[in-house]
Amino acid sequence: MLGARIAYPAAALAAAVFLSSCGGGGIPNDTRAEWRDRAEAQCMASGQVRASSYVTQVSSIRGRSACGILAPLRVSAALGGRVRVAPTATMGCPMTAALDRWLNNSVQRAAMRQFRQPVVEIKQISAYSCRGRNSKSTGKLSEHAFGNALDIAGFTLADGRTITVVKGWWRGTAAEKAFLREAFAGACREFFTVLGPGSDRAHYNHFHVDLLITNVSKGGGHYCRPQPKQGLFAAADDTAPVSTASVKPIPFTGTTEADQQMPAYTLGPAH
């Protein structure tokens, strides 16, 4: 990303203890693993993410239980400003950097292959949120509670067409289904946890991606459901079954950012 490097205050490392407040009120009483603050600090110091008009650092977030982000970022666009994030997402540095890599190496390549035009906006429906996994009040905190996850419900192309996960995954055109499956498979390579339609009822209308380090197996595999299959990128079969989920779709939340003029997309090299 362009712009001046975000300074990571040395005092912030010592302030990690501020995230150990007690839980309650429907939030699971969980602990904060040491690797979380270390991963944030390393990412911020690396220069992978830089300050700009669309990536700004805000004050540390302290939530109930172990919720919070040491150096939260407000992200309204990714890939050097070429892809809007709507509504603006609050998340940590590692997720911000991984989002850029996924968009560049997988999403844009899939869009150019299937539609011959880039994605200019992603619709996210959950970034930082102090809650349990699948919003349960018991068990473990969600990776959303640490700014380490993002839920993506749709993609907008340069011509204004929007491809949603809830419609496109099962009932979209062959190109839409192939695009979503290729983007999903790319997410399985980039993120440590990826859940989408077919994994469970909670994820029938979006891709959940996160960087939970314990979901990386010793063999280097990531937790991905459903698992991509060979031939995934070929034209999808329009007779694929429709989703049987009857849960009310999660609405887009927050205020949509005002439209911005985005520079033309250039397909970059894979990393």
PDB file of all heavy atoms in Angstrom, residues 1 6 49-50 52-58 71-79 81 83-93 95-97 99-100 103 122 124 127 150 257 260:
ATOM      1  N   MET A   1       0.838  -1.186   0.000  1.00  0.00           N
ATOM      2  CA  MET A   1       0.000   0.000   0.000  1.00  0.00           C
ATOM      3  C   MET A   1       0.880   1.246   0.000  1.00  0.00           C
ATOM      4  O   MET A   1       1.994   1.240   0.520  1.00  0.00           O
ATOM      5  CB  MET A   1      -0.911   0.017   1.227  1.00  0.00           C
ATOM      6  CG  MET A   1      -1.979  -1.056   1.183  1.00  0.00           C
ATOM      7  SD  MET A   1      -3.059  -0.931   2.606  1.00  0.00           S
ATOM      8  CE  MET A   1      -4.211  -2.224   2.211  1.00  0.00           C
ATOM      9  N   ILE A   6       3.123   3.299   8.934  1.00  0.00           N
ATOM     10  CA  ILE A   6       2.478   3.499  10.228  1.00  0.00           C
ATOM     11  C   ILE A   6       3.488   3.216  11.314  1.00  0.00           C
ATOM     12  O   ILE A   6       4.123   2.170  11.326  1.00  0.00           O
ATOM     13  CB  ILE A   6       1.275   2.553  10.394  1.00  0.00           C
ATOM     14  CG1 ILE A   6       0.229   2.858   9.307  1.00  0.00           C
ATOM     15  CG2 ILE A   6       0.646   2.694  11.762  1.00  0.00           C
ATOM     16  CD1 ILE A   6      -0.902   1.877   9.308  1.00  0.00           C
ATOM     17  N   VAL A  49       1.906  -2.990   5.744  1.00  0.00           N
ATOM     18  CA  VAL A  49       0.741  -2.121   5.679  1.00  0.00           C
ATOM     19  C   VAL A  49       1.202  -0.696   5.956  1.00  0.00           C
ATOM     20  O   VAL A  49       1.950  -0.460   6.913  1.00  0.00           O
ATOM     21  CB  VAL A  49      -0.326  -2.548   6.706  1.00  0.00           C
ATOM     22  CG1 VAL A  49      -1.510  -1.607   6.683  1.00  0.00           C
ATOM     23  CG2 VAL A  49      -0.779  -3.976   6.422  1.00  0.00           C
ATOM     24  N   ARG A  50       0.781   0.229   5.118  1.00  0.00           N
ATOM     25  CA  ARG A  50       1.206   1.619   5.274  1.00  0.00           C
ATOM     26  C   ARG A  50      -0.002   2.534   5.382  1.00  0.00           C
ATOM     27  O   ARG A  50      -1.063   2.256   4.809  1.00  0.00           O
ATOM     28  CB  ARG A  50       2.087   2.029   4.089  1.00  0.00           C
ATOM     29  CG  ARG A  50       3.395   1.252   4.046  1.00  0.00           C
ATOM     30  CD  ARG A  50       4.123   1.462   2.737  1.00  0.00           C
ATOM     31  NE  ARG A  50       5.361   0.687   2.686  1.00  0.00           N
ATOM     32  CZ  ARG A  50       6.564   1.178   2.942  1.00  0.00           C
ATOM     33  NH1 ARG A  50       6.699   2.444   3.283  1.00  0.00           N
ATOM     34  NH2 ARG A  50       7.637   0.409   2.873  1.00  0.00           N
ATOM     35  N   SER A  52      -2.528   5.561   4.835  1.00  0.00           N
ATOM     36  CA  SER A  52      -2.996   6.242   3.632  1.00  0.00           C
ATOM     37  C   SER A  52      -4.360   6.839   3.938  1.00  0.00           C
ATOM     38  O   SER A  52      -4.842   6.769   5.073  1.00  0.00           O
ATOM     39  CB  SER A  52      -3.105   5.246   2.473  1.00  0.00           C
ATOM     40  OG  SER A  52      -4.121   4.293   2.750  1.00  0.00           O
ATOM     41  N   SER A  53      -4.986   7.401   2.924  1.00  0.00           N
ATOM     42  CA  SER A  53      -6.324   7.957   3.123  1.00  0.00           C
ATOM     43  C   SER A  53      -7.355   6.872   3.346  1.00  0.00           C
ATOM     44  O   SER A  53      -8.460   7.131   3.821  1.00  0.00           O
ATOM     45  CB  SER A  53      -6.729   8.801   1.902  1.00  0.00           C
ATOM     46  OG  SER A  53      -6.737   7.993   0.728  1.00  0.00           O
ATOM     47  N   TYR A  54      -7.016   5.622   3.021  1.00  0.00           N
ATOM     48  CA  TYR A  54      -7.964   4.518   3.164  1.00  0.00           C
ATOM     49  C   TYR A  54      -7.533   3.470   4.174  1.00  0.00           C
ATOM     50  O   TYR A  54      -8.247   2.511   4.412  1.00  0.00           O
ATOM     51  CB  TYR A  54      -8.223   3.863   1.800  1.00  0.00           C
ATOM     52  CG  TYR A  54      -6.967   3.589   1.005  1.00  0.00           C
ATOM     53  CD1 TYR A  54      -6.214   2.444   1.224  1.00  0.00           C
ATOM     54  CD2 TYR A  54      -6.515   4.498   0.066  1.00  0.00           C
ATOM     55  CE1 TYR A  54      -5.044   2.213   0.530  1.00  0.00           C
ATOM     56  CE2 TYR A  54      -5.347   4.273  -0.651  1.00  0.00           C
ATOM     57  CZ  TYR A  54      -4.621   3.134  -0.417  1.00  0.00           C
ATOM     58  OH  TYR A  54      -3.451   2.906  -1.103  1.00  0.00           O
ATOM     59  N   VAL A  55      -6.359   3.625   4.788  1.00  0.00           N
ATOM     60  CA  VAL A  55      -5.915   2.759   5.885  1.00  0.00           C
ATOM     61  C   VAL A  55      -5.385   3.663   6.990  1.00  0.00           C
ATOM     62  O   VAL A  55      -4.333   4.284   6.840  1.00  0.00           O
ATOM     63  CB  VAL A  55      -4.816   1.772   5.448  1.00  0.00           C
ATOM     64  CG1 VAL A  55      -4.353   0.941   6.651  1.00  0.00           C
ATOM     65  CG2 VAL A  55      -5.312   0.847   4.345  1.00  0.00           C
ATOM     66  N   THR A  56      -6.115   3.767   8.079  1.00  0.00           N
ATOM     67  CA  THR A  56      -5.725   4.645   9.176  1.00  0.00           C
ATOM     68  C   THR A  56      -5.708   3.886  10.495  1.00  0.00           C
ATOM     69  O   THR A  56      -6.567   3.037  10.737  1.00  0.00           O
ATOM     70  CB  THR A  56      -6.691   5.841   9.299  1.00  0.00           C
ATOM     71  OG1 THR A  56      -8.032   5.358   9.480  1.00  0.00           O
ATOM     72  CG2 THR A  56      -6.641   6.708   8.052  1.00  0.00           C
ATOM     73  N   GLN A  57      -4.717   4.195  11.314  1.00  0.00           N
ATOM     74  CA  GLN A  57      -4.636   3.560  12.628  1.00  0.00           C
ATOM     75  C   GLN A  57      -5.461   4.360  13.616  1.00  0.00           C
ATOM     76  O   GLN A  57      -5.439   5.596  13.607  1.00  0.00           O
ATOM     77  CB  GLN A  57      -3.187   3.487  13.109  1.00  0.00           C
ATOM     78  CG  GLN A  57      -3.040   2.726  14.427  1.00  0.00           C
ATOM     79  CD  GLN A  57      -1.589   2.578  14.860  1.00  0.00           C
ATOM     80  OE1 GLN A  57      -0.682   2.975  14.134  1.00  0.00           O
ATOM     81  NE2 GLN A  57      -1.369   2.020  16.031  1.00  0.00           N
ATOM     82  N   VAL A  58      -6.208   3.666  14.459  1.00  0.00           N
ATOM     83  CA  VAL A  58      -7.023   4.308  15.487  1.00  0.00           C
ATOM     84  C   VAL A  58      -6.575   3.807  16.850  1.00  0.00           C
ATOM     85  O   VAL A  58      -5.702   2.943  16.961  1.00  0.00           O
ATOM     86  CB  VAL A  58      -8.523   4.029  15.254  1.00  0.00           C
ATOM     87  CG1 VAL A  58      -8.984   4.673  13.952  1.00  0.00           C
ATOM     88  CG2 VAL A  58      -8.816   2.533  15.221  1.00  0.00           C
ATOM     89  N   ALA A  71      -3.374  -2.559  17.791  1.00  0.00           N
ATOM     90  CA  ALA A  71      -3.161  -1.458  16.844  1.00  0.00           C
ATOM     91  C   ALA A  71      -4.201  -1.572  15.734  1.00  0.00           C
ATOM     92  O   ALA A  71      -3.887  -1.966  14.608  1.00  0.00           O
ATOM     93  CB  ALA A  71      -1.755  -1.514  16.275  1.00  0.00           C
ATOM     94  N   PRO A  72      -5.468  -1.242  16.028  1.00  0.00           N
ATOM     95  CA  PRO A  72      -6.529  -1.420  15.039  1.00  0.00           C
ATOM     96  C   PRO A  72      -6.389  -0.495  13.840  1.00  0.00           C
ATOM     97  O   PRO A  72      -5.935   0.648  13.966  1.00  0.00           O
ATOM     98  CB  PRO A  72      -7.804  -1.115  15.828  1.00  0.00           C
ATOM     99  CG  PRO A  72      -7.347  -0.241  16.946  1.00  0.00           C
ATOM    100  CD  PRO A  72      -5.973  -0.697  17.295  1.00  0.00           C
ATOM    101  N   LEU A  73      -6.786  -0.992  12.679  1.00  0.00           N
ATOM    102  CA  LEU A  73      -6.751  -0.225  11.442  1.00  0.00           C
ATOM    103  C   LEU A  73      -8.160  -0.094  10.894  1.00  0.00           C
ATOM    104  O   LEU A  73      -8.932  -1.054  10.902  1.00  0.00           O
ATOM    105  CB  LEU A  73      -5.862  -0.916  10.403  1.00  0.00           C
ATOM    106  CG  LEU A  73      -4.418  -1.186  10.820  1.00  0.00           C
ATOM    107  CD1 LEU A  73      -3.694  -1.974   9.735  1.00  0.00           C
ATOM    108  CD2 LEU A  73      -3.685   0.117  11.110  1.00  0.00           C
ATOM    109  N   ARG A  74      -8.480   1.082  10.405  1.00  0.00           N
ATOM    110  CA  ARG A  74      -9.749   1.317   9.718  1.00  0.00           C
ATOM    111  C   ARG A  74      -9.451   1.254   8.233  1.00  0.00           C
ATOM    112  O   ARG A  74      -8.719   2.087   7.695  1.00  0.00           O
ATOM    113  CB  ARG A  74     -10.323   2.675  10.099  1.00  0.00           C
ATOM    114  CG  ARG A  74     -10.769   2.760  11.556  1.00  0.00           C
ATOM    115  CD  ARG A  74     -12.205   2.361  11.727  1.00  0.00           C
ATOM    116  NE  ARG A  74     -13.113   3.295  11.075  1.00  0.00           N
ATOM    117  CZ  ARG A  74     -14.396   3.036  10.842  1.00  0.00           C
ATOM    118  NH1 ARG A  74     -14.907   1.861  11.190  1.00  0.00           N
ATOM    119  NH2 ARG A  74     -15.166   3.922  10.251  1.00  0.00           N
ATOM    120  N   VAL A  75     -10.021   0.268   7.566  1.00  0.00           N
ATOM    121  CA  VAL A  75      -9.687  -0.010   6.171  1.00  0.00           C
ATOM    122  C   VAL A  75     -10.913   0.222   5.284  1.00  0.00           C
ATOM    123  O   VAL A  75     -11.901  -0.497   5.383  1.00  0.00           O
ATOM    124  CB  VAL A  75      -9.189  -1.464   6.012  1.00  0.00           C
ATOM    125  CG1 VAL A  75      -8.815  -1.743   4.560  1.00  0.00           C
ATOM    126  CG2 VAL A  75      -8.000  -1.725   6.933  1.00  0.00           C
ATOM    127  N   SER A  76     -10.843   1.228   4.420  1.00  0.00           N
ATOM    128  CA  SER A  76     -11.945   1.515   3.495  1.00  0.00           C
ATOM    129  C   SER A  76     -11.612   1.105   2.070  1.00  0.00           C
ATOM    130  O   SER A  76     -12.482   1.165   1.189  1.00  0.00           O
ATOM    131  CB  SER A  76     -12.304   3.012   3.528  1.00  0.00           C
ATOM    132  OG  SER A  76     -11.200   3.796   3.123  1.00  0.00           O
ATOM    133  N   ALA A  77     -10.369   0.691   1.828  1.00  0.00           N
ATOM    134  CA  ALA A  77      -9.987   0.200   0.504  1.00  0.00           C
ATOM    135  C   ALA A  77      -8.725  -0.640   0.650  1.00  0.00           C
ATOM    136  O   ALA A  77      -7.979  -0.520   1.629  1.00  0.00           O
ATOM    137  CB  ALA A  77      -9.748   1.358  -0.475  1.00  0.00           C
ATOM    138  N   ALA A  78      -8.518  -1.496  -0.338  1.00  0.00           N
ATOM    139  CA  ALA A  78      -7.350  -2.378  -0.340  1.00  0.00           C
ATOM    140  C   ALA A  78      -6.666  -2.300  -1.704  1.00  0.00           C
ATOM    141  O   ALA A  78      -7.119  -1.592  -2.607  1.00  0.00           O
ATOM    142  CB  ALA A  78      -7.787  -3.813  -0.046  1.00  0.00           C
ATOM    143  N   LEU A  79      -5.572  -3.015  -1.832  1.00  0.00           N
ATOM    144  CA  LEU A  79      -4.815  -3.066  -3.083  1.00  0.00           C
ATOM    145  C   LEU A  79      -4.466  -1.674  -3.595  1.00  0.00           C
ATOM    146  O   LEU A  79      -4.748  -1.316  -4.737  1.00  0.00           O
ATOM    147  CB  LEU A  79      -5.578  -3.823  -4.164  1.00  0.00           C
ATOM    148  CG  LEU A  79      -5.235  -5.296  -4.367  1.00  0.00           C
ATOM    149  CD1 LEU A  79      -5.875  -5.812  -5.644  1.00  0.00           C
ATOM    150  CD2 LEU A  79      -3.739  -5.525  -4.397  1.00  0.00           C
ATOM    151  N   GLY A  81      -5.748   1.115  -2.873  1.00  0.00           N
ATOM    152  CA  GLY A  81      -6.922   1.944  -3.096  1.00  0.00           C
ATOM    153  C   GLY A  81      -7.784   1.502  -4.252  1.00  0.00           C
ATOM    154  O   GLY A  81      -8.833   2.101  -4.508  1.00  0.00           O
ATOM    155  N   VAL A  83      -9.480  -1.356  -4.625  1.00  0.00           N
ATOM    156  CA  VAL A  83     -10.655  -2.149  -4.264  1.00  0.00           C
ATOM    157  C   VAL A  83     -11.274  -1.574  -2.994  1.00  0.00           C
ATOM    158  O   VAL A  83     -10.664  -1.615  -1.926  1.00  0.00           O
ATOM    159  CB  VAL A  83     -10.284  -3.633  -4.039  1.00  0.00           C
ATOM    160  CG1 VAL A  83     -11.523  -4.434  -3.650  1.00  0.00           C
ATOM    161  CG2 VAL A  83      -9.634  -4.222  -5.284  1.00  0.00           C
ATOM    162  N   ARG A  84     -12.467  -1.008  -3.118  1.00  0.00           N
ATOM    163  CA  ARG A  84     -13.150  -0.469  -1.946  1.00  0.00           C
ATOM    164  C   ARG A  84     -13.557  -1.587  -0.998  1.00  0.00           C
ATOM    165  O   ARG A  84     -13.913  -2.684  -1.445  1.00  0.00           O
ATOM    166  CB  ARG A  84     -14.397   0.312  -2.367  1.00  0.00           C
ATOM    167  CG  ARG A  84     -14.106   1.636  -3.050  1.00  0.00           C
ATOM    168  CD  ARG A  84     -15.392   2.384  -3.367  1.00  0.00           C
ATOM    169  NE  ARG A  84     -16.185   1.711  -4.384  1.00  0.00           N
ATOM    170  CZ  ARG A  84     -16.093   1.953  -5.681  1.00  0.00           C
ATOM    171  NH1 ARG A  84     -15.218   2.827  -6.136  1.00  0.00           N
ATOM    172  NH2 ARG A  84     -16.863   1.313  -6.548  1.00  0.00           N
ATOM    173  N   VAL A  85     -13.534  -1.303   0.286  1.00  0.00           N
ATOM    174  CA  VAL A  85     -14.038  -2.213   1.313  1.00  0.00           C
ATOM    175  C   VAL A  85     -15.253  -1.520   1.921  1.00  0.00           C
ATOM    176  O   VAL A  85     -15.132  -0.475   2.553  1.00  0.00           O
ATOM    177  CB  VAL A  85     -12.977  -2.502   2.392  1.00  0.00           C
ATOM    178  CG1 VAL A  85     -13.556  -3.396   3.488  1.00  0.00           C
ATOM    179  CG2 VAL A  85     -11.735  -3.146   1.773  1.00  0.00           C
ATOM    180  N   ALA A  86     -16.437  -2.061   1.702  1.00  0.00           N
ATOM    181  CA  ALA A  86     -17.663  -1.408   2.131  1.00  0.00           C
ATOM    182  C   ALA A  86     -18.522  -2.358   2.964  1.00  0.00           C
ATOM    183  O   ALA A  86     -18.789  -3.475   2.531  1.00  0.00           O
ATOM    184  CB  ALA A  86     -18.457  -0.926   0.911  1.00  0.00           C
ATOM    185  N   PRO A  87     -18.953  -1.923   4.146  1.00  0.00           N
ATOM    186  CA  PRO A  87     -18.527  -0.693   4.793  1.00  0.00           C
ATOM    187  C   PRO A  87     -17.089  -0.802   5.293  1.00  0.00           C
ATOM    188  O   PRO A  87     -16.499  -1.889   5.280  1.00  0.00           O
ATOM    189  CB  PRO A  87     -19.505  -0.560   5.972  1.00  0.00           C
ATOM    190  CG  PRO A  87     -19.911  -1.969   6.268  1.00  0.00           C
ATOM    191  CD  PRO A  87     -19.947  -2.682   4.948  1.00  0.00           C
ATOM    192  N   THR A  88     -16.529   0.313   5.725  1.00  0.00           N
ATOM    193  CA  THR A  88     -15.164   0.332   6.239  1.00  0.00           C
ATOM    194  C   THR A  88     -15.004  -0.716   7.340  1.00  0.00           C
ATOM    195  O   THR A  88     -15.859  -0.844   8.215  1.00  0.00           O
ATOM    196  CB  THR A  88     -14.827   1.729   6.792  1.00  0.00           C
ATOM    197  OG1 THR A  88     -14.875   2.664   5.714  1.00  0.00           O
ATOM    198  CG2 THR A  88     -13.448   1.751   7.421  1.00  0.00           C
ATOM    199  N   ALA A  89     -13.911  -1.472   7.271  1.00  0.00           N
ATOM    200  CA  ALA A  89     -13.679  -2.567   8.224  1.00  0.00           C
ATOM    201  C   ALA A  89     -12.615  -2.181   9.240  1.00  0.00           C
ATOM    202  O   ALA A  89     -11.605  -1.565   8.890  1.00  0.00           O
ATOM    203  CB  ALA A  89     -13.232  -3.823   7.474  1.00  0.00           C
ATOM    204  N   THR A  90     -12.840  -2.553  10.484  1.00  0.00           N
ATOM    205  CA  THR A  90     -11.830  -2.389  11.530  1.00  0.00           C
ATOM    206  C   THR A  90     -11.212  -3.750  11.787  1.00  0.00           C
ATOM    207  O   THR A  90     -11.911  -4.704  12.125  1.00  0.00           O
ATOM    208  CB  THR A  90     -12.459  -1.849  12.828  1.00  0.00           C
ATOM    209  OG1 THR A  90     -13.044  -0.569  12.576  1.00  0.00           O
ATOM    210  CG2 THR A  90     -11.407  -1.721  13.927  1.00  0.00           C
ATOM    211  N   MET A  91      -9.901  -3.854  11.597  1.00  0.00           N
ATOM    212  CA  MET A  91      -9.208  -5.133  11.791  1.00  0.00           C
ATOM    213  C   MET A  91      -7.737  -4.890  12.073  1.00  0.00           C
ATOM    214  O   MET A  91      -7.246  -3.753  12.027  1.00  0.00           O
ATOM    215  CB  MET A  91      -9.400  -6.032  10.567  1.00  0.00           C
ATOM    216  CG  MET A  91      -9.073  -5.413   9.246  1.00  0.00           C
ATOM    217  SD  MET A  91      -9.654  -6.465   7.872  1.00  0.00           S
ATOM    218  CE  MET A  91      -9.145  -5.481   6.465  1.00  0.00           C
ATOM    219  N   GLY A  92      -7.024  -5.969  12.380  1.00  0.00           N
ATOM    220  CA  GLY A  92      -5.615  -5.879  12.698  1.00  0.00           C
ATOM    221  C   GLY A  92      -4.744  -5.865  11.455  1.00  0.00           C
ATOM    222  O   GLY A  92      -5.192  -6.133  10.341  1.00  0.00           O
ATOM    223  N   CYS A  93      -3.470  -5.572  11.654  1.00  0.00           N
ATOM    224  CA  CYS A  93      -2.510  -5.502  10.557  1.00  0.00           C
ATOM    225  C   CYS A  93      -2.370  -6.822   9.797  1.00  0.00           C
ATOM    226  O   CYS A  93      -2.367  -6.815   8.554  1.00  0.00           O
ATOM    227  CB  CYS A  93      -1.157  -5.049  11.109  1.00  0.00           C
ATOM    228  SG  CYS A  93       0.155  -4.922   9.887  1.00  0.00           S
ATOM    229  N   MET A  95      -4.477  -9.225   9.173  1.00  0.00           N
ATOM    230  CA  MET A  95      -5.624  -9.441   8.300  1.00  0.00           C
ATOM    231  C   MET A  95      -5.622  -8.455   7.141  1.00  0.00           C
ATOM    232  O   MET A  95      -5.974  -8.794   6.007  1.00  0.00           O
ATOM    233  CB  MET A  95      -6.934  -9.306   9.083  1.00  0.00           C
ATOM    234  CG  MET A  95      -7.420 -10.586   9.729  1.00  0.00           C
ATOM    235  SD  MET A  95      -7.737 -11.938   8.550  1.00  0.00           S
ATOM    236  CE  MET A  95      -8.984 -11.194   7.511  1.00  0.00           C
ATOM    237  N   THR A  96      -5.214  -7.224   7.410  1.00  0.00           N
ATOM    238  CA  THR A  96      -5.164  -6.205   6.361  1.00  0.00           C
ATOM    239  C   THR A  96      -4.169  -6.608   5.281  1.00  0.00           C
ATOM    240  O   THR A  96      -4.455  -6.501   4.081  1.00  0.00           O
ATOM    241  CB  THR A  96      -4.782  -4.848   6.962  1.00  0.00           C
ATOM    242  OG1 THR A  96      -5.715  -4.506   7.993  1.00  0.00           O
ATOM    243  CG2 THR A  96      -4.778  -3.756   5.908  1.00  0.00           C
ATOM    244  N   ALA A  97      -2.999  -7.091   5.692  1.00  0.00           N
ATOM    245  CA  ALA A  97      -1.979  -7.516   4.735  1.00  0.00           C
ATOM    246  C   ALA A  97      -2.437  -8.757   3.966  1.00  0.00           C
ATOM    247  O   ALA A  97      -2.239  -8.860   2.748  1.00  0.00           O
ATOM    248  CB  ALA A  97      -0.671  -7.797   5.462  1.00  0.00           C
ATOM    249  N   LEU A  99      -5.498  -9.686   3.328  1.00  0.00           N
ATOM    250  CA  LEU A  99      -6.571  -9.309   2.411  1.00  0.00           C
ATOM    251  C   LEU A  99      -5.983  -8.797   1.096  1.00  0.00           C
ATOM    252  O   LEU A  99      -6.440  -9.155   0.009  1.00  0.00           O
ATOM    253  CB  LEU A  99      -7.458  -8.235   3.045  1.00  0.00           C
ATOM    254  CG  LEU A  99      -8.590  -7.696   2.160  1.00  0.00           C
ATOM    255  CD1 LEU A  99      -9.585  -8.796   1.805  1.00  0.00           C
ATOM    256  CD2 LEU A  99      -9.303  -6.529   2.860  1.00  0.00           C
ATOM    257  N   ASP A 100      -4.954  -7.972   1.185  1.00  0.00           N
ATOM    258  CA  ASP A 100      -4.282  -7.471  -0.014  1.00  0.00           C
ATOM    259  C   ASP A 100      -3.715  -8.616  -0.859  1.00  0.00           C
ATOM    260  O   ASP A 100      -3.876  -8.647  -2.082  1.00  0.00           O
ATOM    261  CB  ASP A 100      -3.137  -6.535   0.396  1.00  0.00           C
ATOM    262  CG  ASP A 100      -3.480  -5.070   0.166  1.00  0.00           C
ATOM    263  OD1 ASP A 100      -4.678  -4.751   0.109  1.00  0.00           O
ATOM    264  OD2 ASP A 100      -2.554  -4.259   0.038  1.00  0.00           O
ATOM    265  N   LEU A 103      -6.587 -10.642  -2.539  1.00  0.00           N
ATOM    266  CA  LEU A 103      -7.189  -9.917  -3.652  1.00  0.00           C
ATOM    267  C   LEU A 103      -6.278  -9.931  -4.870  1.00  0.00           C
ATOM    268  O   LEU A 103      -6.722 -10.153  -5.999  1.00  0.00           O
ATOM    269  CB  LEU A 103      -7.495  -8.472  -3.229  1.00  0.00           C
ATOM    270  CG  LEU A 103      -8.669  -8.290  -2.255  1.00  0.00           C
ATOM    271  CD1 LEU A 103      -8.714  -6.864  -1.731  1.00  0.00           C
ATOM    272  CD2 LEU A 103      -9.990  -8.648  -2.926  1.00  0.00           C
ATOM    273  N   ILE A 122     -15.432  -4.939  -2.415  1.00  0.00           N
ATOM    274  CA  ILE A 122     -15.922  -6.117  -1.707  1.00  0.00           C
ATOM    275  C   ILE A 122     -16.908  -5.645  -0.646  1.00  0.00           C
ATOM    276  O   ILE A 122     -16.735  -4.582  -0.048  1.00  0.00           O
ATOM    277  CB  ILE A 122     -14.789  -6.952  -1.064  1.00  0.00           C
ATOM    278  CG1 ILE A 122     -13.998  -6.119  -0.044  1.00  0.00           C
ATOM    279  CG2 ILE A 122     -13.874  -7.528  -2.120  1.00  0.00           C
ATOM    280  CD1 ILE A 122     -13.004  -6.946   0.769  1.00  0.00           C
ATOM    281  N   GLN A 124     -18.295  -6.405   2.909  1.00  0.00           N
ATOM    282  CA  GLN A 124     -18.026  -7.191   4.113  1.00  0.00           C
ATOM    283  C   GLN A 124     -19.160  -6.987   5.100  1.00  0.00           C
ATOM    284  O   GLN A 124     -19.722  -5.893   5.188  1.00  0.00           O
ATOM    285  CB  GLN A 124     -16.661  -6.813   4.706  1.00  0.00           C
ATOM    286  CG  GLN A 124     -16.519  -5.415   5.271  1.00  0.00           C
ATOM    287  CD  GLN A 124     -16.956  -5.288   6.722  1.00  0.00           C
ATOM    288  OE1 GLN A 124     -17.182  -6.285   7.413  1.00  0.00           O
ATOM    289  NE2 GLN A 124     -17.061  -4.053   7.200  1.00  0.00           N
ATOM    290  N   ALA A 127     -16.363  -7.442  10.585  1.00  0.00           N
ATOM    291  CA  ALA A 127     -14.917  -7.332  10.798  1.00  0.00           C
ATOM    292  C   ALA A 127     -14.699  -7.485  12.308  1.00  0.00           C
ATOM    293  O   ALA A 127     -15.024  -8.523  12.863  1.00  0.00           O
ATOM    294  CB  ALA A 127     -14.399  -6.004  10.255  1.00  0.00           C
ATOM    295  N   LEU A 150     -12.594 -11.685   8.769  1.00  0.00           N
ATOM    296  CA  LEU A 150     -13.436 -10.858   7.915  1.00  0.00           C
ATOM    297  C   LEU A 150     -14.468 -11.762   7.248  1.00  0.00           C
ATOM    298  O   LEU A 150     -14.150 -12.884   6.846  1.00  0.00           O
ATOM    299  CB  LEU A 150     -12.589 -10.166   6.847  1.00  0.00           C
ATOM    300  CG  LEU A 150     -13.249  -9.025   6.061  1.00  0.00           C
ATOM    301  CD1 LEU A 150     -13.558  -7.855   6.993  1.00  0.00           C
ATOM    302  CD2 LEU A 150     -12.342  -8.563   4.925  1.00  0.00           C
ATOM    303  N   GLU A 257     -19.263   3.560   2.330  1.00  0.00           N
ATOM    304  CA  GLU A 257     -18.370   4.666   2.029  1.00  0.00           C
ATOM    305  C   GLU A 257     -18.803   5.345   0.731  1.00  0.00           C
ATOM    306  O   GLU A 257     -19.306   4.722  -0.194  1.00  0.00           O
ATOM    307  CB  GLU A 257     -16.929   4.151   1.868  1.00  0.00           C
ATOM    308  CG  GLU A 257     -16.336   3.652   3.164  1.00  0.00           C
ATOM    309  CD  GLU A 257     -16.171   4.759   4.183  1.00  0.00           C
ATOM    310  OE1 GLU A 257     -15.496   5.755   3.891  1.00  0.00           O
ATOM    311  OE2 GLU A 257     -16.742   4.624   5.273  1.00  0.00           O
ATOM    312  N   GLN A 260     -15.485   6.509  -4.622  1.00  0.00           N
ATOM    313  CA  GLN A 260     -14.217   7.171  -4.877  1.00  0.00           C
ATOM    314  C   GLN A 260     -13.775   6.812  -6.286  1.00  0.00           C
ATOM    315  O   GLN A 260     -14.148   5.794  -6.833  1.00  0.00           O
ATOM    316  CB  GLN A 260     -13.140   6.698  -3.892  1.00  0.00           C
ATOM    317  CG  GLN A 260     -13.550   6.837  -2.434  1.00  0.00           C
ATOM    318  CD  GLN A 260     -12.538   6.154  -1.535  1.00  0.00           C
ATOM    319  OE1 GLN A 260     -11.344   6.129  -1.807  1.00  0.00           O
ATOM    320  NE2 GLN A 260     -13.022   5.583  -0.460  1.00  0.00           N
TER     321      GLN A 260
END
